[in-house]
């Protein structure tokens, strides 16, 4: 068993799936919405990047930017269809959950109709180079994927701490009712949050397509893993999502190496059950009393 190989794989998976988990946690903590449409946004972003590579140029920064932009557009679409019309209605969490799930299922079928069942591949974004670090061979796609996710997340955190709109989002995360009282518009902030989290899903789609392919239903498994990570870390907690991403990244890397990829979801859900038995709200879960009132 190559420990270095497992660690490098685990960290790469944690960076990719962690972006989706952080998006899910941000959406829940600020809007009270569990966005089940990430599967559609993920696949939609992949096709946006593929179209850019085919019809514009297979230029890596352009392809990545196209995927991120398409994800942001998908997030805004979900916000306009599944959040704004129902956010002030009774039983909003359930209504929104069903609405976003319906968007995901219908959207995947539309992608299947538009692009067909054959998977598409994206060009190599980070080259084919390799780096030998203390006996561990790191490929360019692993290094590039990890750095891209870390850089984008860092930029988002800086933006949330320094910009007015970012401060509004943080206020919504702390107490949505108090934020509304002081004049922070729920709908305007929701569009920003959904565009932001959609962009994260778009980045994850482009990065994961370096290993897999773009297909109409390619977002289902990443959505399940992202939601699992968010639940393990504590739904609504960004630091918890990071911890959960690392834990489940190591679980997937170890399971793939020792047992085989077909057992990944089995061991993943066993780990989730064990953690939630001892920490029902997740590793770093927060209790939103304002939303429970």
């Amino acid at each position: 068993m190559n420990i270095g190989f497992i660690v490098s794989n685990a960290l790469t998976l944690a960076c990719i799936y962690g972006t989706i988990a952080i998006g899910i946690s941000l959406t829940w903590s600020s809007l009270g919405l569990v966005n089940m449409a990430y599967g559609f946004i993920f696949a939609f972003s992949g096709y946006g990047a593929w179209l850019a590579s085919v019809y514009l140029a297979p230029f890596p920064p352009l392809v990545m930017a196209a995927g991120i932009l398409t994800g942001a557009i998908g997030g805004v679409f979900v916000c306009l269809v599944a959040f704004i019309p129902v956010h002030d209605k009774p039983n909003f969490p359930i209504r929104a959950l069903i609405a976003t799930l319906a968007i995901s299922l219908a959207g995947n079928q539309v992608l299947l109709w538009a692009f067909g069942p054959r998977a598409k591949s994206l060009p190599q974004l980070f080259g084919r180079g390799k780096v030998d670090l203390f006996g561990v061979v790191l490929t360019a796609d692993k290094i590039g994927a990890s750095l891209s996710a870390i850089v984008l997340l860092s930029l988002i955190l800086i933006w949330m701490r320094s910009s007015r709109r970012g401060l509004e989002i943080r206020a919504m995360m702390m107490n949505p009712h108090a934020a509304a009282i002081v004049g922070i518009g729920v709908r305007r902030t929701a569009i920003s949050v959904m565009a932001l989290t959609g962009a994260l899903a778009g980045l994850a789609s482009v990065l994961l397509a370096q290993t897999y392919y773009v297909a109409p239903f390619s977002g289902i498994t990443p959505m399940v893993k992202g939601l699992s990570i968010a639940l393990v870390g504590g739904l609504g907690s960004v630091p918890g999502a990071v911890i959960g991403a690392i834990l489940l990244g190591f679980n997937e890397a170890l399971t793939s190496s020792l047992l085989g990829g077909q057992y990944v979801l089995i061991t993943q859900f066993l780990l989730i059950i064990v953690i939630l038995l001892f920490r029902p709200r997740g590793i770093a879960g927060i209790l939103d009393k304002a939303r429970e009132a």
Side-chain angles (χ1 to χ4, degrees), residues 17-264:
Y17 292 133
T19 58
I20 301 177
I22 290 172
I24 291 172
S25 290
L26 282 175
T27 306
W28 166 253
S29 59
S30 58
L31 306 179
L33 168 68
V34 178
N35 188 1
M36 298 298 289
Y38 275 115
F40 163 68
I41 296 174
F42 187 97
F44 181 60
S45 304
Y47 280 109
W50 176 76
L51 288 172
S53 69
V54 172
Y55 293 103
L56 296 179
F59 183 52
L62 176 64
V63 173
M64 184 176 291
I68 294 172
L69 178 61
T70 308
I73 293 172
V76 172
F77 171 77
V78 173
C79 180
L80 295 176
V81 173
F83 176 79
I84 290 179
V86 300
H87 81 278
D88 55 352
K89 300 292 191 299
N91 298 320
F92 159 70
I94 301 300
R95 289 172 183 256
L97 180 71
I98 294 173
T100 54
L101 181 60
I103 289 174
S104 186
L105 295 174
N108 288 336
Q109 291 296 330
V110 171
L111 293 176
L112 178 63
W113 171 78
F115 296 100
R118 177 173 290 184
K120 316 293 185 184
S121 61
L122 295 183
Q124 290 287 333
L125 299 181
F126 308 108
R128 302 180 182 275
K130 296 181 180 180
V131 175
D132 192 327
L133 185 64
F134 304 111
V136 179
V137 177
L138 301 176
T139 57
D141 61 329
K142 289 182 181 180
I143 297 173
S146 300
L147 291 178
S148 298
I150 291 170
V151 167
L152 183 60
L153 288 174
S154 299
L155 290 175
I156 288 173
L157 291 176
I158 293 171
W159 176 78
M160 289 184 65
R161 289 181 178 275
S162 58
S163 70
R164 177 180 178 84
R165 187 54 53 83
L167 293 175
E168 291 177 351
I169 294 173
R170 290 173 62 196
M172 289 283 293
M173 293 172 65
M174 294 176 185
N175 192 315
H177 297 298
I181 290 172
V182 299
I184 296 176
V186 175
R187 297 185 178 188
R188 184 178 66 251
T189 306
I191 290 175
S192 298
V193 170
M194 296 297 286
L196 188 68
T197 55
L200 289 175
L203 174 66
S205 176
V206 173
L207 296 180
L208 203 60
Q210 296 298 293
T211 304
Y212 301 100
Y213 295 93
V214 178
F217 299 95
S218 60
I220 294 177
T221 299
M223 182 192 69
V224 170
K225 291 182 178 180
L227 183 59
S228 302
I229 290 170
L231 290 172
V232 166
L235 198 58
S237 171
V238 174
V242 174
I243 297 171
I246 294 172
L247 281 176
L248 294 188
F250 272 97
N251 171 78
E252 180 165 339
L254 280 170
T255 303
S256 298
S257 179
L258 298 177
L259 301 177
Q262 67 270 30
Y263 297 103
V264 167

